[in-house]
Amino acid sequence: NAGVTQTPKFQVLKTGQSMTLQCAQDMNHNSMYWYRQDPGMGLRLIYYSASEGTTDKGEVPNGYNVSRLNKREFSLRLESAAPSQTSVYFCASSEVGISPGGYTFGSGTRLTVV
Amino acid sequence: AQKITQTQPGMFVQEKEAVTLDCTYDTSDPSYGLFWYKQPSSGEMIFLIYQGSYDQQNATEGRYSLNFQKARKSANLVISASQLGDSAMYFCAMKRGGYQKVTFGTGTKLQVIP
């Protein structure tokens, strides 16, 4: 089925370790996003990419880097994981502008940093 | 800056009854879109309904309807004939025209009682 695919689904890291969360979409969307979800705080935007070749900071970018590898793929990297980065991470994609479909989300990555 | 407010952290509703989940928003842009997403306990984000700022009629999708009151800047979700499967977190979100970012509220946890 068409959609947004995130890997891995679960990950446990030790403080200071690095990892990359992968995201790919096959909907031919121009825009892609990374959000984190924490209890009581809704979804907060980490980084987004309005189109291939561009990336911009969102609300909570510190401690993260992103790469828009091509139109399909948008990865999120934690260079030195901290316990405060324990969260559920969602990748999403959308058309440019306002479209009735809004975002299409991946299934999420549950990350625990110990 | 745009902001979404959901003032109900949790709600209960009897099965087969209707329920309204509140959402207010703040933006000075004339062009924007409003969305509702459902997040069941399994964690995925499911798009429910969309309302454009220029739409003359309230959006409806099956048992979901959006009570859009533009002057009050409210976009409440109404679920008719609640079912046990409606138990989930519900997020209101907004996207402004010309911007790629979507802002989410903190969510309302709905529990349907048999």
Side-chain angles (χ1 to χ4, degrees), chain A residues 31 33 35 37 40-43 45 48 50 57-58 90 94-103 105-107, chain B residues 31-33 35 37 39 42-45 47 49-50 91 95-107:
Chain A
S31 301
Y33 312 80
Y35 281 88
Q37 183 180 21
M41 303 190 76
L43 280 79
L45 183 64
Y48 68 103
K57 295 179 180 179
F90 285 98
S94 76
E95 299 283 358
V96 174
I98 302 174
S99 63
Y103 281 170
F105 282 89
S107 57
Chain B
S31 177
Y32 52 89
F35 307 85
Y37 288 87
Q39 186 179 42
S42 53
E44 71 269 30
M45 295 288 286
F47 165 73
I49 197 167
Y50 163 83
F91 292 96
K95 188 177 188 183
R96 289 183 294 169
Y99 293 86
Q100 293 311 115
K101 294 181 286 187
V102 173
T103 301
F104 286 82
T106 52

mmCIF file of all heavy atoms in Angstrom, chain A residues 31 33 35 37 40-43 45 48 50 57-58 90 94-103 105-107, chain B residues 31-33 35 37 39 42-45 47 49-50 91 95-107:
data_model
loop_
_atom_site.group_PDB
_atom_site.id
_atom_site.type_symbol
_atom_site.label_atom_id
_atom_site.label_comp_id
_atom_site.label_asym_id
_atom_site.label_seq_id
_atom_site.Cartn_x
_atom_site.Cartn_y
_atom_site.Cartn_z
ATOM 1 N N SER A 31 6.699 17.652 0.324
ATOM 2 C CA SER A 31 7.070 18.060 1.676
ATOM 3 C C SER A 31 7.111 16.868 2.623
ATOM 4 O O SER A 31 6.244 16.001 2.581
ATOM 5 C CB SER A 31 6.071 19.093 2.206
ATOM 6 O OG SER A 31 6.041 20.229 1.361
ATOM 7 N N TYR A 33 8.308 15.725 6.913
ATOM 8 C CA TYR A 33 8.398 16.292 8.257
ATOM 9 C C TYR A 33 8.827 15.228 9.260
ATOM 10 O O TYR A 33 8.538 14.039 9.073
ATOM 11 C CB TYR A 33 7.018 16.804 8.707
ATOM 12 C CG TYR A 33 6.306 17.664 7.698
ATOM 13 C CD1 TYR A 33 5.621 17.083 6.631
ATOM 14 C CD2 TYR A 33 6.307 19.044 7.802
ATOM 15 C CE1 TYR A 33 4.957 17.860 5.690
ATOM 16 C CE2 TYR A 33 5.644 19.833 6.872
ATOM 17 C CZ TYR A 33 4.971 19.229 5.818
ATOM 18 O OH TYR A 33 4.325 20.003 4.895
ATOM 19 N N TYR A 35 8.259 14.757 13.425
ATOM 20 C CA TYR A 35 7.653 15.213 14.663
ATOM 21 C C TYR A 35 8.061 14.273 15.795
ATOM 22 O O TYR A 35 8.345 13.099 15.568
ATOM 23 C CB TYR A 35 6.122 15.176 14.573
ATOM 24 C CG TYR A 35 5.490 16.328 13.832
ATOM 25 C CD1 TYR A 35 5.311 16.271 12.457
ATOM 26 C CD2 TYR A 35 5.052 17.454 14.503
ATOM 27 C CE1 TYR A 35 4.716 17.320 11.772
ATOM 28 C CE2 TYR A 35 4.452 18.513 13.825
ATOM 29 C CZ TYR A 35 4.288 18.434 12.467
ATOM 30 O OH TYR A 35 3.706 19.476 11.791
ATOM 31 N N GLN A 37 6.470 13.064 19.656
ATOM 32 C CA GLN A 37 5.259 13.087 20.459
ATOM 33 C C GLN A 37 5.599 12.680 21.875
ATOM 34 O O GLN A 37 6.118 11.582 22.109
ATOM 35 C CB GLN A 37 4.185 12.146 19.890
ATOM 36 C CG GLN A 37 2.880 12.199 20.678
ATOM 37 C CD GLN A 37 1.822 11.282 20.135
ATOM 38 O OE1 GLN A 37 2.104 10.323 19.419
ATOM 39 N NE2 GLN A 37 0.571 11.568 20.452
ATOM 40 N N GLY A 40 1.125 14.618 26.874
ATOM 41 C CA GLY A 40 0.638 15.927 27.283
ATOM 42 C C GLY A 40 1.125 17.082 26.447
ATOM 43 O O GLY A 40 0.763 18.230 26.709
ATOM 44 N N MET A 41 1.944 16.799 25.423
ATOM 45 C CA MET A 41 2.515 17.888 24.627
ATOM 46 C C MET A 41 2.154 17.795 23.155
ATOM 47 O O MET A 41 2.630 18.588 22.345
ATOM 48 C CB MET A 41 4.029 17.923 24.801
ATOM 49 C CG MET A 41 4.451 18.071 26.248
ATOM 50 S SD MET A 41 6.189 18.405 26.461
ATOM 51 C CE MET A 41 6.256 20.123 26.001
ATOM 52 N N GLY A 42 1.346 16.861 22.798
ATOM 53 C CA GLY A 42 0.962 16.751 21.401
ATOM 54 C C GLY A 42 2.153 16.404 20.521
ATOM 55 O O GLY A 42 3.127 15.798 20.966
ATOM 56 N N LEU A 43 2.087 16.829 19.288
ATOM 57 C CA LEU A 43 3.172 16.600 18.337
ATOM 58 C C LEU A 43 3.929 17.905 18.140
ATOM 59 O O LEU A 43 3.320 18.941 17.860
ATOM 60 C CB LEU A 43 2.635 16.107 16.994
ATOM 61 C CG LEU A 43 2.289 14.623 16.904
ATOM 62 C CD1 LEU A 43 0.956 14.344 17.553
ATOM 63 C CD2 LEU A 43 2.287 14.168 15.451
ATOM 64 N N LEU A 45 7.078 19.785 16.025
ATOM 65 C CA LEU A 45 7.853 19.673 14.796
ATOM 66 C C LEU A 45 9.340 19.801 15.091
ATOM 67 O O LEU A 45 9.786 20.769 15.715
ATOM 68 C CB LEU A 45 7.411 20.753 13.809
ATOM 69 C CG LEU A 45 8.075 20.746 12.443
ATOM 70 C CD1 LEU A 45 7.729 19.466 11.674
ATOM 71 C CD2 LEU A 45 7.641 21.968 11.645
ATOM 72 N N TYR A 48 11.601 20.045 9.038
ATOM 73 C CA TYR A 48 10.801 19.729 7.880
ATOM 74 C C TYR A 48 11.567 20.062 6.610
ATOM 75 O O TYR A 48 12.566 20.794 6.641
ATOM 76 C CB TYR A 48 9.449 20.458 7.910
ATOM 77 C CG TYR A 48 9.524 21.950 7.745
ATOM 78 C CD1 TYR A 48 9.202 22.549 6.541
ATOM 79 C CD2 TYR A 48 9.871 22.760 8.819
ATOM 80 C CE1 TYR A 48 9.249 23.927 6.396
ATOM 81 C CE2 TYR A 48 9.919 24.137 8.689
ATOM 82 C CZ TYR A 48 9.597 24.719 7.479
ATOM 83 O OH TYR A 48 9.651 26.085 7.336
ATOM 84 N N ALA A 50 10.462 21.341 2.876
ATOM 85 C CA ALA A 50 9.367 21.783 2.017
ATOM 86 C C ALA A 50 9.455 21.148 0.634
ATOM 87 O O ALA A 50 8.433 20.885 -0.002
ATOM 88 C CB ALA A 50 9.347 23.301 1.908
ATOM 89 N N LYS A 57 14.412 24.213 10.269
ATOM 90 C CA LYS A 57 14.169 23.857 11.654
ATOM 91 C C LYS A 57 12.705 24.071 12.010
ATOM 92 O O LYS A 57 12.056 24.984 11.539
ATOM 93 C CB LYS A 57 15.050 24.708 12.572
ATOM 94 C CG LYS A 57 16.530 24.464 12.413
ATOM 95 C CD LYS A 57 17.336 25.360 13.337
ATOM 96 C CE LYS A 57 18.832 25.107 13.168
ATOM 97 N NZ LYS A 57 19.650 25.994 14.048
ATOM 98 N N GLY A 58 12.256 23.203 12.889
ATOM 99 C CA GLY A 58 10.928 23.365 13.442
ATOM 100 C C GLY A 58 10.997 23.920 14.838
ATOM 101 O O GLY A 58 11.860 24.738 15.162
ATOM 102 N N PHE A 90 7.497 10.573 14.654
ATOM 103 C CA PHE A 90 6.675 10.360 13.480
ATOM 104 C C PHE A 90 7.254 11.113 12.290
ATOM 105 O O PHE A 90 7.602 12.290 12.393
ATOM 106 C CB PHE A 90 5.244 10.857 13.699
ATOM 107 C CG PHE A 90 4.415 9.967 14.575
ATOM 108 C CD1 PHE A 90 4.255 10.252 15.921
ATOM 109 C CD2 PHE A 90 3.785 8.852 14.055
ATOM 110 C CE1 PHE A 90 3.493 9.440 16.730
ATOM 111 C CE2 PHE A 90 3.009 8.028 14.851
ATOM 112 C CZ PHE A 90 2.863 8.324 16.195
ATOM 113 N N SER A 94 3.362 15.481 2.840
ATOM 114 C CA SER A 94 2.167 16.186 2.378
ATOM 115 C C SER A 94 2.435 16.854 1.040
ATOM 116 O O SER A 94 3.588 17.022 0.614
ATOM 117 C CB SER A 94 1.730 17.241 3.397
ATOM 118 O OG SER A 94 2.577 18.378 3.342
ATOM 119 N N GLU A 95 1.355 17.250 0.409
ATOM 120 C CA GLU A 95 1.459 18.096 -0.769
ATOM 121 C C GLU A 95 1.865 19.495 -0.331
ATOM 122 O O GLU A 95 1.685 19.870 0.822
ATOM 123 C CB GLU A 95 0.107 18.161 -1.492
ATOM 124 C CG GLU A 95 -0.409 16.833 -1.989
ATOM 125 C CD GLU A 95 0.303 16.376 -3.241
ATOM 126 O OE1 GLU A 95 1.174 17.117 -3.739
ATOM 127 O OE2 GLU A 95 -0.004 15.275 -3.720
ATOM 128 N N VAL A 96 2.371 20.267 -1.257
ATOM 129 C CA VAL A 96 2.650 21.667 -0.977
ATOM 130 C C VAL A 96 1.332 22.405 -0.860
ATOM 131 O O VAL A 96 0.372 22.104 -1.567
ATOM 132 C CB VAL A 96 3.500 22.274 -2.115
ATOM 133 C CG1 VAL A 96 3.673 23.774 -1.928
ATOM 134 C CG2 VAL A 96 4.849 21.597 -2.167
ATOM 135 N N GLY A 97 1.260 23.354 0.044
ATOM 136 C CA GLY A 97 0.051 24.125 0.213
ATOM 137 C C GLY A 97 -0.962 23.402 1.073
ATOM 138 O O GLY A 97 -0.663 22.409 1.732
ATOM 139 N N ILE A 98 -2.167 23.911 1.073
ATOM 140 C CA ILE A 98 -3.228 23.318 1.891
ATOM 141 C C ILE A 98 -3.983 22.315 1.043
ATOM 142 O O ILE A 98 -4.524 22.653 0.002
ATOM 143 C CB ILE A 98 -4.198 24.394 2.405
ATOM 144 C CG1 ILE A 98 -3.441 25.432 3.216
ATOM 145 C CG2 ILE A 98 -5.296 23.757 3.239
ATOM 146 C CD1 ILE A 98 -4.295 26.597 3.641
ATOM 147 N N SER A 99 -3.980 21.085 1.466
ATOM 148 C CA SER A 99 -4.731 20.071 0.746
ATOM 149 C C SER A 99 -5.636 19.345 1.731
ATOM 150 O O SER A 99 -5.279 19.173 2.892
ATOM 151 C CB SER A 99 -3.784 19.077 0.073
ATOM 152 O OG SER A 99 -3.033 18.376 1.034
ATOM 153 N N PRO A 100 -6.792 18.936 1.290
ATOM 154 C CA PRO A 100 -7.744 18.289 2.205
ATOM 155 C C PRO A 100 -7.196 17.048 2.885
ATOM 156 O O PRO A 100 -7.655 16.672 3.950
ATOM 157 C CB PRO A 100 -8.921 17.944 1.282
ATOM 158 C CG PRO A 100 -8.848 18.958 0.196
ATOM 159 C CD PRO A 100 -7.385 19.184 -0.028
ATOM 160 N N GLY A 101 -6.221 16.427 2.289
ATOM 161 C CA GLY A 101 -5.679 15.207 2.882
ATOM 162 C C GLY A 101 -4.734 15.453 4.032
ATOM 163 O O GLY A 101 -4.403 14.524 4.762
ATOM 164 N N GLY A 102 -4.276 16.678 4.192
ATOM 165 C CA GLY A 102 -3.381 16.949 5.303
ATOM 166 C C GLY A 102 -2.102 16.152 5.193
ATOM 167 O O GLY A 102 -1.504 16.048 4.134
ATOM 168 N N TYR A 103 -1.682 15.600 6.287
ATOM 169 C CA TYR A 103 -0.485 14.782 6.338
ATOM 170 C C TYR A 103 -0.831 13.318 6.162
ATOM 171 O O TYR A 103 -1.895 12.870 6.566
ATOM 172 C CB TYR A 103 0.167 14.880 7.714
ATOM 173 C CG TYR A 103 0.989 16.088 8.013
ATOM 174 C CD1 TYR A 103 1.428 16.306 9.311
ATOM 175 C CD2 TYR A 103 1.341 17.009 7.055
ATOM 176 C CE1 TYR A 103 2.191 17.401 9.638
ATOM 177 C CE2 TYR A 103 2.107 18.108 7.370
ATOM 178 C CZ TYR A 103 2.531 18.302 8.653
ATOM 179 O OH TYR A 103 3.285 19.391 8.977
ATOM 180 N N PHE A 105 0.979 10.036 7.726
ATOM 181 C CA PHE A 105 1.976 9.716 8.749
ATOM 182 C C PHE A 105 2.530 8.312 8.575
ATOM 183 O O PHE A 105 1.826 7.401 8.121
ATOM 184 C CB PHE A 105 1.342 9.789 10.136
ATOM 185 C CG PHE A 105 1.170 11.185 10.660
ATOM 186 C CD1 PHE A 105 0.020 11.901 10.391
ATOM 187 C CD2 PHE A 105 2.163 11.774 11.427
ATOM 188 C CE1 PHE A 105 -0.141 13.186 10.875
ATOM 189 C CE2 PHE A 105 2.007 13.054 11.922
ATOM 190 C CZ PHE A 105 0.850 13.759 11.635
ATOM 191 N N GLY A 106 3.769 8.151 8.988
ATOM 192 C CA GLY A 106 4.310 6.828 9.184
ATOM 193 C C GLY A 106 3.771 6.241 10.477
ATOM 194 O O GLY A 106 3.043 6.904 11.218
ATOM 195 N N SER A 107 4.147 5.030 10.760
ATOM 196 C CA SER A 107 3.610 4.318 11.922
ATOM 197 C C SER A 107 4.333 4.661 13.211
ATOM 198 O O SER A 107 3.914 4.236 14.280
ATOM 199 C CB SER A 107 3.643 2.815 11.689
ATOM 200 O OG SER A 107 4.969 2.402 11.408
ATOM 201 N N SER B 31 -6.136 32.494 4.911
ATOM 202 C CA SER B 31 -6.176 31.185 4.265
ATOM 203 C C SER B 31 -5.528 30.139 5.168
ATOM 204 O O SER B 31 -4.343 30.262 5.498
ATOM 205 C CB SER B 31 -5.449 31.249 2.924
ATOM 206 O OG SER B 31 -5.407 29.985 2.318
ATOM 207 N N TYR B 32 -6.297 29.156 5.536
ATOM 208 C CA TYR B 32 -5.758 28.092 6.396
ATOM 209 C C TYR B 32 -6.641 26.858 6.288
ATOM 210 O O TYR B 32 -7.777 26.922 5.777
ATOM 211 C CB TYR B 32 -5.650 28.543 7.863
ATOM 212 C CG TYR B 32 -6.922 29.124 8.437
ATOM 213 C CD1 TYR B 32 -7.865 28.319 9.058
ATOM 214 C CD2 TYR B 32 -7.161 30.500 8.367
ATOM 215 C CE1 TYR B 32 -9.020 28.852 9.580
ATOM 216 C CE2 TYR B 32 -8.321 31.048 8.881
ATOM 217 C CZ TYR B 32 -9.246 30.221 9.493
ATOM 218 O OH TYR B 32 -10.396 30.764 9.998
ATOM 219 N N GLY B 33 -6.109 25.763 6.739
ATOM 220 C CA GLY B 33 -6.861 24.514 6.771
ATOM 221 C C GLY B 33 -6.848 23.938 8.171
ATOM 222 O O GLY B 33 -5.850 24.052 8.884
ATOM 223 N N PHE B 35 -7.624 20.440 10.539
ATOM 224 C CA PHE B 35 -7.655 18.986 10.429
ATOM 225 C C PHE B 35 -7.931 18.358 11.797
ATOM 226 O O PHE B 35 -7.572 18.923 12.830
ATOM 227 C CB PHE B 35 -6.299 18.443 9.948
ATOM 228 C CG PHE B 35 -5.794 19.068 8.682
ATOM 229 C CD1 PHE B 35 -5.079 20.251 8.715
ATOM 230 C CD2 PHE B 35 -6.012 18.459 7.466
ATOM 231 C CE1 PHE B 35 -4.607 20.835 7.555
ATOM 232 C CE2 PHE B 35 -5.534 19.031 6.303
ATOM 233 C CZ PHE B 35 -4.831 20.217 6.342
ATOM 234 N N TYR B 37 -7.180 14.502 13.588
ATOM 235 C CA TYR B 37 -6.564 13.194 13.474
ATOM 236 C C TYR B 37 -6.954 12.356 14.685
ATOM 237 O O TYR B 37 -7.125 12.874 15.789
ATOM 238 C CB TYR B 37 -5.033 13.309 13.436
ATOM 239 C CG TYR B 37 -4.499 13.870 12.151
ATOM 240 C CD1 TYR B 37 -4.385 15.241 11.968
ATOM 241 C CD2 TYR B 37 -4.108 13.034 11.115
ATOM 242 C CE1 TYR B 37 -3.901 15.774 10.794
ATOM 243 C CE2 TYR B 37 -3.615 13.550 9.927
ATOM 244 C CZ TYR B 37 -3.520 14.921 9.776
ATOM 245 O OH TYR B 37 -3.040 15.437 8.608
ATOM 246 N N GLN B 39 -5.742 9.035 17.004
ATOM 247 C CA GLN B 39 -4.622 8.161 17.325
ATOM 248 C C GLN B 39 -5.100 7.083 18.301
ATOM 249 O O GLN B 39 -5.210 7.301 19.502
ATOM 250 C CB GLN B 39 -3.460 8.944 17.936
ATOM 251 C CG GLN B 39 -2.220 8.086 18.142
ATOM 252 C CD GLN B 39 -1.057 8.863 18.733
ATOM 253 O OE1 GLN B 39 -1.226 9.675 19.640
ATOM 254 N NE2 GLN B 39 0.134 8.621 18.220
ATOM 255 N N SER B 42 -2.922 1.821 19.347
ATOM 256 C CA SER B 42 -1.870 1.205 18.527
ATOM 257 C C SER B 42 -0.844 2.225 18.046
ATOM 258 O O SER B 42 0.242 1.858 17.591
ATOM 259 C CB SER B 42 -2.479 0.482 17.342
ATOM 260 O OG SER B 42 -3.340 1.359 16.619
ATOM 261 N N GLY B 43 -1.179 3.515 18.111
ATOM 262 C CA GLY B 43 -0.197 4.562 17.864
ATOM 263 C C GLY B 43 -0.222 5.259 16.525
ATOM 264 O O GLY B 43 0.363 6.337 16.396
ATOM 265 N N GLU B 44 -0.859 4.699 15.515
ATOM 266 C CA GLU B 44 -0.820 5.370 14.224
ATOM 267 C C GLU B 44 -1.712 6.608 14.220
ATOM 268 O O GLU B 44 -2.651 6.712 14.989
ATOM 269 C CB GLU B 44 -1.245 4.412 13.088
ATOM 270 C CG GLU B 44 -2.710 4.046 13.066
ATOM 271 C CD GLU B 44 -3.046 2.804 13.849
ATOM 272 O OE1 GLU B 44 -2.344 2.521 14.857
ATOM 273 O OE2 GLU B 44 -4.016 2.125 13.471
ATOM 274 N N MET B 45 -1.395 7.534 13.351
ATOM 275 C CA MET B 45 -2.167 8.770 13.202
ATOM 276 C C MET B 45 -3.073 8.611 11.991
ATOM 277 O O MET B 45 -2.616 8.387 10.867
ATOM 278 C CB MET B 45 -1.231 9.958 13.002
ATOM 279 C CG MET B 45 -0.351 10.250 14.191
ATOM 280 S SD MET B 45 -1.256 10.949 15.568
ATOM 281 C CE MET B 45 -1.533 12.614 14.966
ATOM 282 N N PHE B 47 -6.005 10.317 9.642
ATOM 283 C CA PHE B 47 -6.688 11.542 9.230
ATOM 284 C C PHE B 47 -8.198 11.304 9.230
ATOM 285 O O PHE B 47 -8.689 10.304 8.706
ATOM 286 C CB PHE B 47 -6.212 11.946 7.833
ATOM 287 C CG PHE B 47 -7.080 12.974 7.164
ATOM 288 C CD1 PHE B 47 -7.048 14.286 7.594
ATOM 289 C CD2 PHE B 47 -7.912 12.630 6.120
ATOM 290 C CE1 PHE B 47 -7.849 15.237 6.987
ATOM 291 C CE2 PHE B 47 -8.704 13.575 5.506
ATOM 292 C CZ PHE B 47 -8.683 14.884 5.942
ATOM 293 N N ILE B 49 -10.818 14.366 9.108
ATOM 294 C CA ILE B 49 -11.665 15.357 8.467
ATOM 295 C C ILE B 49 -10.895 16.647 8.275
ATOM 296 O O ILE B 49 -9.952 16.944 9.020
ATOM 297 C CB ILE B 49 -12.942 15.592 9.316
ATOM 298 C CG1 ILE B 49 -14.033 16.298 8.514
ATOM 299 C CG2 ILE B 49 -12.623 16.325 10.613
ATOM 300 C CD1 ILE B 49 -15.398 16.256 9.201
ATOM 301 N N TYR B 50 -11.284 17.396 7.248
ATOM 302 C CA TYR B 50 -10.604 18.644 6.889
ATOM 303 C C TYR B 50 -11.638 19.750 6.651
ATOM 304 O O TYR B 50 -12.725 19.497 6.104
ATOM 305 C CB TYR B 50 -9.806 18.423 5.602
ATOM 306 C CG TYR B 50 -9.391 19.700 4.905
ATOM 307 C CD1 TYR B 50 -8.255 20.386 5.320
ATOM 308 C CD2 TYR B 50 -10.137 20.217 3.858
ATOM 309 C CE1 TYR B 50 -7.871 21.555 4.690
ATOM 310 C CE2 TYR B 50 -9.757 21.388 3.225
ATOM 311 C CZ TYR B 50 -8.629 22.055 3.647
ATOM 312 O OH TYR B 50 -8.261 23.210 3.023
ATOM 313 N N PHE B 91 -6.530 14.675 17.863
ATOM 314 C CA PHE B 91 -5.724 15.879 17.718
ATOM 315 C C PHE B 91 -6.332 16.804 16.677
ATOM 316 O O PHE B 91 -6.684 16.370 15.576
ATOM 317 C CB PHE B 91 -4.295 15.545 17.290
ATOM 318 C CG PHE B 91 -3.494 14.830 18.339
ATOM 319 C CD1 PHE B 91 -3.401 13.456 18.332
ATOM 320 C CD2 PHE B 91 -2.841 15.539 19.331
ATOM 321 C CE1 PHE B 91 -2.660 12.788 19.294
ATOM 322 C CE2 PHE B 91 -2.093 14.896 20.297
ATOM 323 C CZ PHE B 91 -2.005 13.505 20.282
ATOM 324 N N LYS B 95 -2.991 24.249 9.337
ATOM 325 C CA LYS B 95 -1.937 24.600 8.389
ATOM 326 C C LYS B 95 -2.324 25.912 7.731
ATOM 327 O O LYS B 95 -3.431 26.048 7.216
ATOM 328 C CB LYS B 95 -1.791 23.509 7.331
ATOM 329 C CG LYS B 95 -0.599 23.687 6.408
ATOM 330 C CD LYS B 95 -0.520 22.498 5.447
ATOM 331 C CE LYS B 95 0.767 22.555 4.646
ATOM 332 N NZ LYS B 95 0.833 21.457 3.643
ATOM 333 N N ARG B 96 -1.402 26.858 7.756
ATOM 334 C CA ARG B 96 -1.667 28.147 7.133
ATOM 335 C C ARG B 96 -1.296 28.114 5.662
ATOM 336 O O ARG B 96 -0.341 27.446 5.274
ATOM 337 C CB ARG B 96 -0.860 29.243 7.826
ATOM 338 C CG ARG B 96 -1.329 29.587 9.216
ATOM 339 C CD ARG B 96 -0.513 30.720 9.791
ATOM 340 N NE ARG B 96 0.871 30.360 10.005
ATOM 341 C CZ ARG B 96 1.830 31.226 10.291
ATOM 342 N NH1 ARG B 96 1.541 32.518 10.369
ATOM 343 N NH2 ARG B 96 3.071 30.832 10.489
ATOM 344 N N GLY B 97 -2.027 28.857 4.876
ATOM 345 C CA GLY B 97 -1.721 28.938 3.466
ATOM 346 C C GLY B 97 -0.343 29.523 3.245
ATOM 347 O O GLY B 97 0.038 30.483 3.898
ATOM 348 N N GLY B 98 0.418 28.941 2.351
ATOM 349 C CA GLY B 98 1.737 29.458 2.046
ATOM 350 C C GLY B 98 2.818 28.940 2.974
ATOM 351 O O GLY B 98 3.999 29.208 2.766
ATOM 352 N N TYR B 99 2.451 28.212 4.020
ATOM 353 C CA TYR B 99 3.414 27.638 4.922
ATOM 354 C C TYR B 99 3.305 26.122 4.866
ATOM 355 O O TYR B 99 2.247 25.580 4.598
ATOM 356 C CB TYR B 99 3.170 28.104 6.365
ATOM 357 C CG TYR B 99 3.436 29.573 6.565
ATOM 358 C CD1 TYR B 99 2.459 30.516 6.303
ATOM 359 C CD2 TYR B 99 4.684 30.024 7.018
ATOM 360 C CE1 TYR B 99 2.699 31.870 6.471
ATOM 361 C CE2 TYR B 99 4.923 31.368 7.203
ATOM 362 C CZ TYR B 99 3.931 32.286 6.925
ATOM 363 O OH TYR B 99 4.177 33.619 7.100
ATOM 364 N N GLN B 100 4.401 25.487 5.147
ATOM 365 C CA GLN B 100 4.408 24.034 5.068
ATOM 366 C C GLN B 100 4.169 23.356 6.408
ATOM 367 O O GLN B 100 3.905 22.184 6.468
ATOM 368 C CB GLN B 100 5.734 23.551 4.483
ATOM 369 C CG GLN B 100 5.923 23.947 3.035
ATOM 370 C CD GLN B 100 4.711 23.607 2.207
ATOM 371 O OE1 GLN B 100 4.031 24.469 1.678
ATOM 372 N NE2 GLN B 100 4.402 22.325 2.112
ATOM 373 N N LYS B 101 4.253 24.118 7.481
ATOM 374 C CA LYS B 101 4.165 23.495 8.785
ATOM 375 C C LYS B 101 2.723 23.372 9.257
ATOM 376 O O LYS B 101 1.903 24.241 9.036
ATOM 377 C CB LYS B 101 4.970 24.298 9.805
ATOM 378 C CG LYS B 101 6.461 24.280 9.543
ATOM 379 C CD LYS B 101 7.229 25.060 10.581
ATOM 380 C CE LYS B 101 7.067 26.560 10.418
ATOM 381 N NZ LYS B 101 7.963 27.292 11.347
ATOM 382 N N VAL B 102 2.461 22.270 9.938
ATOM 383 C CA VAL B 102 1.166 22.044 10.578
ATOM 384 C C VAL B 102 1.378 22.092 12.080
ATOM 385 O O VAL B 102 2.310 21.483 12.601
ATOM 386 C CB VAL B 102 0.566 20.692 10.167
ATOM 387 C CG1 VAL B 102 -0.691 20.398 10.975
ATOM 388 C CG2 VAL B 102 0.246 20.689 8.681
ATOM 389 N N THR B 103 0.534 22.842 12.750
ATOM 390 C CA THR B 103 0.610 22.942 14.214
ATOM 391 C C THR B 103 -0.484 22.091 14.825
ATOM 392 O O THR B 103 -1.638 22.147 14.395
ATOM 393 C CB THR B 103 0.452 24.404 14.657
ATOM 394 O OG1 THR B 103 1.494 25.185 14.058
ATOM 395 C CG2 THR B 103 0.550 24.523 16.174
ATOM 396 N N PHE B 104 -0.111 21.312 15.834
ATOM 397 C CA PHE B 104 -1.047 20.400 16.489
ATOM 398 C C PHE B 104 -1.406 20.897 17.880
ATOM 399 O O PHE B 104 -0.601 21.533 18.558
ATOM 400 C CB PHE B 104 -0.425 19.003 16.625
ATOM 401 C CG PHE B 104 -0.358 18.253 15.338
ATOM 402 C CD1 PHE B 104 0.676 18.484 14.435
ATOM 403 C CD2 PHE B 104 -1.327 17.321 15.009
ATOM 404 C CE1 PHE B 104 0.741 17.794 13.236
ATOM 405 C CE2 PHE B 104 -1.268 16.626 13.812
ATOM 406 C CZ PHE B 104 -0.240 16.871 12.926
ATOM 407 N N GLY B 105 -2.638 20.566 18.299
ATOM 408 C CA GLY B 105 -3.007 20.754 19.680
ATOM 409 C C GLY B 105 -2.451 19.627 20.534
ATOM 410 O O GLY B 105 -1.811 18.699 20.029
ATOM 411 N N THR B 106 -2.709 19.701 21.834
ATOM 412 C CA THR B 106 -2.163 18.709 22.756
ATOM 413 C C THR B 106 -3.014 17.453 22.853
ATOM 414 O O THR B 106 -2.608 16.481 23.473
ATOM 415 C CB THR B 106 -2.005 19.294 24.161
ATOM 416 O OG1 THR B 106 -3.250 19.888 24.559
ATOM 417 C CG2 THR B 106 -0.914 20.362 24.173
ATOM 418 N N GLY B 107 -4.192 17.465 22.229
ATOM 419 C CA GLY B 107 -4.991 16.259 22.148
ATOM 420 C C GLY B 107 -6.042 16.121 23.232
ATOM 421 O O GLY B 107 -5.938 16.711 24.311
#
